[in-house]
Each structure stands twice: as C-alpha cells, then as structure tokens.
Amino acid sequence: MKAKKVLSLMLAGAMVFGLAGCSGSSSGGSSSSGGSDGDVVNLTIWSPTDEEAIEDWWVEKLAQWNEEHPDIQVSREAIDRSDSYAYENKITTATTSNDLPDILFVDGPTVSYYAANGIIIPIDDCYTDEDLEDFMPSTIQQCTYDGQLYTMGATESSVALYYNKDYLDAAGIEYPSDTNVEDAWTWTEFYENAAKLTTDDYVGANIIMDKGEGLIYALGSFWQENGAPMISDDGSEAEGYINSEASVETAEYLAQFIENGYANIDPIEDEFLNGYAATMLGGSWEIASLEASDLNWGISYFPISDDGDAVSPTGDWTAGITKDCENVDAAKEVLQWLMNTENVATYASAIAKPASRTSSYDQMEGWDEGARALVLWQLQNTGVARPSSPSYSVLSSDFATAMLNIFSGADIKSEFDTVASGFDEDYSTYYGE
C-alpha cells in the first residue's frame, strides 16, 4: 500500500454539507485520548456542536453514564463548526500528533477515508448480529469499509419528492402516491409534470439542494436507479463508471430540467417553501419546517426509474474508535450504550431525524403515518448509501463541479472524463498497490 493521504483542507472542504449535524453539548474533558487514572478509565468523545436540544441530550446522557459507571468516566468535547474547516482541521492536527480522542464522530461518506488511513479501527465485535439486523441496511453500508464495520450512527436521512397541492390542482395533475412506491412518479412523469407545472410565477421543480455535497447526495440515486454506478464496487476506479454511457444518460435527463427552465440552477433560499417551485427533491429534515408553514403540501417517494427501480438517498454522522484509544474495550462498551435502542430513540427525537434502529421507533411518536412513515419506509426498503471509497471527497467535489458545468451547457462526457481522471489519480497515488 502506498503512503496514505493526510487529511487536508481540500478534503474537509468537500465534507461541509451539513445534512446531519450530530451531537452537541460539551460536558468538559480534554482533547487528548483517554487513559487510566488508577482504577478509572477516562474516555473522550469528539463531535460537532449542534442544536440546544442535542446539547442538553449530551449533558443528561453523559451524566447518567458517569453516575452508573464509576470505573469508566466519559467526557465530551463539542467542536464549533461555524468555521466549516474547524472540526476537520482539529482532527488533522490530532492525527499527526497522535492525540485523537477515544471516540470520534465522522460524517457517513468519510468513513472509508478515515478507515483506509488508519484513523479509526474496526469494531466488528462491538454489536451482536441481532443489533446489526436492527440497524437500517444503509447505516451498516455507510459504516462499513473493505468488509469491516468501523463506525455506527444513531440517525439517518432521506430525500423525497415534496409537492405543492394547490399548484398540482391548478395544473390538473393527480397527486403522486405516499403509500405505494409503485404509484410514485417515474422519471418521465417527474419531467413532464415539471414542464406542466412551470409558470411565469414558479418553476416546476427544485432539484438543487446545494452546490456542493448536496448534489451527489440528493441526485446520486438517479445514477443508481439507472444502473450507472459512479465508481467500481471496491471503490478503486471511476474510469468506465462515472463516464459510462448510462451515467451520461442520467446527467442528460437532469440537465433538461435546467436547460428548459423547469428548474433553477440558482434557486432562491427556501424556494419550495416560499411558493417559487411546485415540487422539490428535499431532505427528511424539511418536514418540520413544512408542518409549521401554511403551505398546502404533500410528499411522495423519490422518483423511480421508468423500469420501476426505486432507490433513495441516505446518510448521516457516525461514531468510531480512533487509533489512539488506549482502552478499546471500554470505548466499545460506551459505543454500544450510545447506540442502544433507547438512546437512539431519544437522540433522534431530540434532533428531529429518522432513527437508525428499527426498534427505536417503538419509543418514538409520529413515525407510523404521513410524511415520516414514508421516509421510514424508504430507509427500510430503498435507501442506499453514497459510494464508498477513501477518495470519495475527490469524487464528490469534482462531481459537483461537473454537474454545475453540465447544467450551464458543458459537454457531459468531457466533464465526466475529468471526474474519472481526477478520482483515479487520487486513488492510485494514495491507495493503489
């Protein structure tokens, strides 16, 4: 194996998409890896700061753990991400100085990077087979690299099709189903309805979540539905994948929304919520805002291929054990506890996200009907994680650049050839045999 890549600002820059800020309040603690103090094991957790409800959750839960486990004391350092690079830069510094915490939270798509570079260690024996069957398949998928489990996450995310009922009524368009994926809009129906729904006052669709990680996260399922993997199964090669005929065809489909004025390349903030888009490919986190609004809205499944293939986006923050942890068994015990059914349920409820464990929904309200039930169904049945590779950040960043160029009229094959070349060079340089 060639010399592994040190985490850099370029890598961190590709990972700032905040669809899943995980964890919150600090309960004190140092930034160094935990050790033993007499008969007491001291462990440290790093994760980004988050909303007040999660800050409070962390304070309560760590106080509970420390009271019940006097022999294993856990502290947490909550790191402010108002500076997009602060969290990743802190990990970079700690990695080179061998001063990582015991437990580290990382975003799902970066698990393969941290694993391949030896920053986190395998935790295959941390959860029972029964536990693993209880977690969402996409959660296990994003937490696994090279056949081994490296992290686990408490929450998930999804993308669905939201629509303005008043606008569909005015256009004489029947609502897509929210109870049967076979009656979801197909690619053709989504495009044709976007055309019918576009007026002088609003566009037919909002398909751009953001111009960075949001592009591969929200739109990547179109590639999967079309049988067009972006990279090889082992995560080592993009040539012949991202620039394949099927991949080009997928981009052509999406580009026509922008080209024909049915979607904006520069959508205004909250374009759908404010009535300037008739439909939206939006995240599961949009539900709370829409419920609090006066918009007459509905939800349906992520558009399915014309052949009936259904895939939906997933992903969120996860926690693993670092190479600098001196008390791995104790850290595994804490990680098991953090991700148990009850803690996952209370954490997911506090942050208003889908839980990663099926059993947790027995302790959560509002997930048995309506929009949340649809999101849960997608996670259990059609959710697929983003591509896994230690060079994922290069793929994500270059894919975003390529898609924005394509939406502006650039040649698709040429753009994707560039993506393939950049990915393969990075993988060959840092991870090739």
Side-chain angles (χ1 to χ4, degrees):
M1 178 69 74
K2 299 183 179 180
K4 295 175 180 177
K5 181 164 60 176
V6 176
L7 188 67
S8 66
L9 288 178
M10 289 296 291
L11 171 71
M15 294 300 152
V16 300
F17 179 57
L19 64 93
C22 182
S23 53
S25 99
S26 173
S27 56
S30 69
S31 60
S32 61
S33 180
S36 297
D37 182 11
D39 294 329
V40 178
V41 173
N42 297 294
L43 299 177
T44 302
I45 298 172
W46 282 4
S47 65
T49 55
D50 214 301
E51 301 171 0
E52 183 177 354
I54 300 304
E55 302 285 333
D56 294 341
W57 184 92
W58 275 107
V59 170
E60 176 185 347
K61 288 297 179 179
L62 291 188
Q64 175 189 337
W65 170 273
N66 288 333
E67 181 178 357
E68 296 175 355
H69 301 80
D71 57 329
I72 303 176
Q73 294 292 287
V74 181
S75 62
R76 176 174 169 274
E77 184 170 347
I79 301 167
D80 187 4
R81 297 193 84 212
S82 57
D83 173 359
S84 298
Y85 300 113
Y87 190 69
E88 289 78 6
N89 287 350
K90 190 173 180 66
I91 297 173
T92 300
T93 301
T95 298
T96 56
S97 62
N98 298 316
D99 198 26
L100 289 163
D102 301 282
I103 295 175
L104 178 67
F105 276 75
V106 299
D107 200 2
T110 67
V111 169
S112 53
Y113 170 86
Y114 289 106
N117 285 281
I119 297 171
I120 55 177
I121 65 174
I123 55 170
D124 290 307
D125 60 347
C126 195
Y127 300 97
T128 67
D129 290 343
E130 184 178 0
D131 284 329
L132 296 177
E133 290 175 1
D134 191 40
F135 284 100
M136 299 294 172
S138 58
T139 299
I140 302 300
Q141 182 186 2
Q142 75 166 350
C143 294
T144 300
Y145 173 69
D146 198 23
Q148 291 186 290
L149 187 73
Y150 279 87
T151 63
M152 189 56 73
T155 52
E156 264 289 1
S157 67
S158 189
V159 173
L161 176 70
Y162 298 85
Y163 58 90
N164 186 312
K165 290 183 176 180
D166 293 337
Y167 293 169
L168 266 66
D169 289 343
I173 297 174
E174 184 177 352
Y175 301 158
S177 177
D178 63 354
T179 58
N180 186 354
V181 71
E182 293 181 1
D183 294 326
W185 281 355
T186 64
W187 288 22
T188 296
E189 289 171 327
F190 182 34
Y191 176 76
E192 291 178 347
N193 287 333
K196 294 176 184 177
L197 288 163
T198 299
T199 71
D200 291 338
D201 298 319
Y202 48 83
V203 293
N206 178 308
I207 64 171
I208 296 182
M209 184 173 291
D210 67 35
K211 293 186 175 182
E213 178 68 13
L215 285 167
I216 196 169
Y217 166 71
L219 302 180
S221 292
F222 285 109
W223 271 257
Q224 293 164 331
E225 288 181 341
N226 201 34
M230 294 182 181
I231 59 176
S232 58
D233 288 343
D234 64 0
S236 68
E237 188 176 10
E239 176 61 40
Y241 294 91
I242 187 61
N243 55 353
S244 69
E245 182 178 346
S247 178
V248 170
E249 178 184 76
T250 307
E252 287 175 343
Y253 166 75
L254 292 168
Q256 63 185 338
F257 283 83
I258 306 295
E259 179 182 356
N260 293 320
Y262 306 150
N264 292 318
I265 192 172
D266 292 305
I268 65 169
E269 185 175 359
D270 295 328
E271 186 177 56
F272 177 74
L273 183 64
N274 290 318
Y276 292 104
T279 67
M280 171 182 67
L281 292 179
S284 47
W285 56 89
E286 302 284 0
I287 294 174
S289 297
L290 290 168
E291 287 176 335
S293 75
D294 295 326
L295 195 69
N296 186 18
W297 63 281
I299 189 172
S300 185
Y301 304 91
F302 191 93
I304 63 177
S305 74
D306 289 353
D307 293 331
D309 293 323
V311 178
S312 55
T314 65
D316 212 339
W317 285 73
T318 68
I321 299 173
T322 74
K323 67 181 181 64
D324 295 337
C325 179
E326 298 176 359
N327 297 279
V328 173
D329 288 341
K332 287 181 179 179
E333 188 175 344
V334 172
L335 206 54
Q336 290 167 354
W337 176 80
L338 281 174
M339 303 299 169
N340 69 29
T341 294
E342 179 182 357
N343 286 337
V344 166
T346 56
Y347 182 90
S349 295
I351 203 170
K353 289 181 178 180
S356 62
R357 297 189 73 137
T358 298
S359 61
S360 295
Y361 289 92
D362 293 336
Q363 304 178 26
M364 300 168 65
E365 297 181 355
W367 290 89
D368 56 351
E369 60 181 3
R372 288 177 179 80
L374 183 144
V375 166
L376 176 55
W377 187 92
Q378 286 194 153
L379 286 169
Q380 293 174 327
N381 294 277
T382 62
V384 177
R386 279 159 280 182
S388 176
S389 172
S391 293
Y392 173 82
S393 65
V394 175
L395 174 69
S396 174
S397 178
D398 289 356
F399 176 83
T401 298
M403 287 305 298
L404 292 174
N405 290 341
I406 290 166
F407 287 154
S408 298
D411 180 74
I412 299 174
K413 181 63 164 60
S414 177
E415 290 293 325
F416 283 170
D417 284 344
T418 299
V419 176
S421 176
F423 178 93
D424 288 356
E425 180 179 358
D426 185 87
Y427 189 91
S428 175
T429 299
Y430 297 108
Y431 307 105
E433 296 296 338

